[in-house]
Amino acid sequence: MFIRMVMKRFSVALALLLTVSATAQDKALAPTPPMGWNSWDAYGPTVNEAQFRANMVVLAAQLKEFGWEYVVIDEGWYLQNPENMSMPQALHYTVNLRGQYEPAPNRFPSSATGSGFKPLSDAVHDDGLRFGIHMLRGIPKKTVFANPYIGATKYRASMAADTTDTCSWNPDNFGVKANLAGQAWYDALMKQYASWGVDFLKVDCIAHPYKSAEIRMIRKAIERSGRPIVLSLSPGPTPIEHAGEVAKNAQMWRISSDVWDHWDKDPDATWSQGVKDQFSILAKWADQAKPGSWPDADMLPLGQLRPNPGEGKPRNSRLTEDEQRTMITLWAIARAPLFLGGNLTEMDDALKSLLTNQAVIEMDHDSIASEMNTEDGPLVTWTSRSIRGDKQYLAIFNVSDTPVHVDKTFAEYGYIDKAQYKVRDLWQRQELGLLNSFQVDLPPHGSAVYSLHD
């Protein structure tokens, strides 16, 4: 068994913490991992205004107080007939005279006045939430063929477009050249989104394959827009050799391909990531998580994935209750963003209990030095420490298909600075007393997480 040296780790973590002032954290656009809801897992490209507002109401009423604050409309909001996405030639787009996509008014009637998403974002803000949208990198093909001027500049759309570059899974756009016309296009686009009151922007087909120039242009355009907008890059895996660049330009970036509701790899969907594989991927990126920069392990496909999920048939999440708890525990101790994908209007008490555990959310938001420490047969352990230094966290995961009984001292996991700790079971919401060891029975794919107080 590998035993970590806690005191050495703490010294490094403390030194790192002292270099990040409270003022700097306050000014960071995403000082803690963002939390919210995204429409894709339950609605795919078909979400409409009524459905979005219904989920927004639930988030505001039942989850906002626990830190869930973003509501995000995913791909295809400009399509009048998104049910035909498998037949691109049959799609009807909503594009303004400047060549920019607008919300489809048959799906988002509040946009029919010409105000875009502004009325909807106003409603989101009135509920104390933050509004987000998805965009596909690039410039619409229809715009390039029409070739209008870009805003008030001398550049035309064709001068910005790289017609040799398209997204492999979405044919709507051409890529954007790294030239003055390309920057003008993204400047105009970010000004449009800023005028709508957008707080969160998920940019697709930009992290895998990795589009360095477009990432930098979008970052610059957001800064020029005058509105603080969280930038999320998708999908993954983002090449880790670009960790420094993505951290400089974005607040979130995907570290894997799309995660869906299965534990292991799905042989029928090789592009789809299972929960089990996220342990090693998150471990690889753990030291990159810091205020304003968060490696993103993708959405949580929990609850009811209906009426029109972005993958597969309408269903309840195929993850077991233990796997769902494990998923949230892993994301939280690794300090990943938390975005729920299920239909909130059908949220049951069991799911709500998972989403409103304040101690688990605090672990996600207020810890440092998160790392995967050991792999001991079927067991994987992760640890982290609170920013204030008043508690440590220990998560134990059973990644095997059979139950495991765990009977360990804390010293065996490297906790050697105290003989005993005040221990709390975070999921059971229970104080366990002053202990030097713990015992727990973990079901297949199950987990437990504890806080240790001095």
Side-chain angles (χ1 to χ4, degrees):
M1 168 74 69
F2 169 78
I3 299 179
R4 63 188 174 85
M5 300 305 295
V6 171
M7 296 307 295
K8 181 179 178 181
R9 239 189 67 237
F10 177 63
S11 298
V12 173
L14 183 60
L16 175 63
L17 177 62
L18 291 175
T19 66
V20 182
S21 70
T23 301
Q25 291 195 40
D26 289 342
K27 290 183 178 179
L29 189 53
T32 59
M35 297 171 61
W37 174 83
N38 180 291
S39 63
W40 185 254
D41 286 0
Y43 297 94
T46 68
V47 69
N48 61 39
E49 182 167 342
Q51 293 165 333
F52 177 82
R53 285 178 180 264
N55 282 272
M56 175 188 77
V57 167
V58 176
L59 191 84
Q62 301 187 44
L63 301 179
K64 180 178 69 173
E65 65 180 290
F66 298 94
W68 303 87
E69 60 175 342
Y70 290 94
V71 280
V72 182
I73 298 172
D74 211 278
E75 185 177 2
W77 41 265
Y78 46 83
L79 297 174
Q80 297 165 33
N81 57 338
E83 63 278 3
N84 291 336
M85 278 194 75
S86 62
M87 300 181 293
Q89 70 280 3
L91 291 174
H92 298 292
Y93 299 84
T94 309
V95 183
N96 63 27
L97 294 177
R98 298 180 299 279
Q100 300 164 324
Y101 291 128
E102 294 279 344
N106 62 318
R107 294 169 55 203
F108 300 94
S110 68
S111 70
T113 61
S115 300
F117 273 130
K118 184 64 165 63
L120 191 53
S121 77
D122 285 346
V124 170
H125 297 148
D126 287 345
D127 271 349
L129 302 174
R130 298 176 187 268
F131 179 65
I133 60 173
H134 170 285
M135 66 164 276
L136 185 71
R137 68 171 178 88
I139 183 168
K141 290 181 178 178
K142 288 181 175 292
T143 300
V144 177
F145 299 144
N147 204 25
Y149 283 103
I150 299 172
T153 72
K154 62 183 179 181
Y155 306 113
R156 288 188 178 270
S158 61
M159 301 167 69
D162 181 354
T163 57
T164 68
D165 178 25
T166 57
C167 181
S168 62
W169 66 86
N170 187 314
D172 292 347
N173 293 358
F174 288 125
V176 169
K177 292 179 180 177
N179 59 17
L180 293 176
Q183 186 64 62
W185 169 256
Y186 278 129
D187 287 350
L189 204 59
M190 294 308 116
K191 288 179 181 178
Q192 177 193 31
Y193 295 164
S195 73
W196 289 349
V198 170
D199 305 297
F200 181 99
L201 181 62
K202 175 183 174 181
V203 182
D204 213 342
C205 203
I206 199 166
H208 181 75
Y210 188 76
K211 297 292 183 178
S212 177
E214 288 194 74
I215 291 170
R216 294 195 304 270
M217 285 192 288
I218 291 171
R219 175 76 264 153
K220 182 181 290 187
I222 289 174
E223 292 172 353
R224 291 175 173 179
S225 77
R227 183 175 181 83
I229 299 174
V230 169
L231 177 58
S232 171
L233 306 179
S234 180
T238 300
I240 197 163
E241 58 267 26
H242 294 295
E245 183 178 49
V246 291
K248 180 180 178 180
N249 289 286
Q251 285 71 49
M252 290 170 50
W253 60 91
R254 283 274 299 282
I255 59 176
S256 75
S257 55
D258 291 357
V259 174
W260 280 99
D261 50 329
H262 48 91
W263 178 257
D264 288 302
K265 285 285 188 183
D266 184 345
D268 297 323
T270 55
W271 51 267
S272 180
Q273 187 78 9
V275 175
K276 184 179 180 180
D277 288 329
Q278 295 298 78
F279 284 89
S280 59
I281 293 173
L282 278 163
K284 183 172 68 172
W285 283 93
D287 62 352
Q288 300 296 324
K290 59 183 180 295
S293 304
W294 304 107
D296 177 16
D298 202 12
M299 293 178 286
L300 305 167
L302 309 179
Q304 296 295 325
L305 308 182
R306 62 178 76 246
N308 187 41
E311 183 276 331
K313 297 179 180 180
R315 62 192 182 276
N316 186 22
S317 177
R318 292 174 293 212
L319 296 173
T320 67
E321 289 186 11
D322 293 313
E323 289 167 350
Q324 293 181 46
R325 188 180 299 110
T326 287
M327 187 179 202
I328 293 178
T329 303
L330 177 60
W331 266 235
I333 199 164
R335 299 184 296 159
L338 300 174
F339 276 80
L340 186 69
N343 188 332
L344 294 181
T345 69
E346 300 184 24
M347 179 173 60
D348 60 19
D349 290 342
L351 179 57
K352 183 178 178 181
S353 179
L354 288 179
L355 303 179
T356 58
N357 188 308
Q358 194 66 65
V360 173
I361 293 170
E362 180 181 320
M363 178 174 66
D364 182 54
H365 280 193
D366 298 324
S367 63
I368 56 173
S370 174
E371 60 180 333
M372 188 170 77
N373 291 90
T374 62
E375 292 185 72
D376 180 17
L379 298 178
V380 173
T381 66
W382 276 69
T383 59
S384 65
R385 179 183 292 270
S386 70
I387 289 175
R388 295 172 299 279
D390 61 339
K391 68 183 73 169
Q392 301 173 78
Y393 296 104
L394 171 65
I396 313 291
F397 301 91
N398 174 16
V399 298
S400 75
D401 298 332
T402 57
V404 174
H405 176 71
V406 184
D407 188 347
K408 298 283 187 179
T409 65
F410 292 117
E412 289 179 89
Y413 287 106
Y415 291 95
I416 57 177
D417 49 346
K418 296 285 184 180
Q420 293 180 313
Y421 296 89
K422 295 177 182 178
V423 180
R424 179 175 178 81
D425 186 318
L426 300 192
W427 283 117
Q428 298 300 320
R429 296 176 166 89
Q430 182 180 2
E431 299 290 345
L432 303 182
L434 193 63
L435 303 173
N436 66 1
S437 64
F438 68 100
Q439 300 80 37
V440 63
D441 291 304
L442 295 180
H445 313 163
S447 60
V449 61
Y450 306 97
S451 62
L452 283 62
H453 303 254
D454 295 339

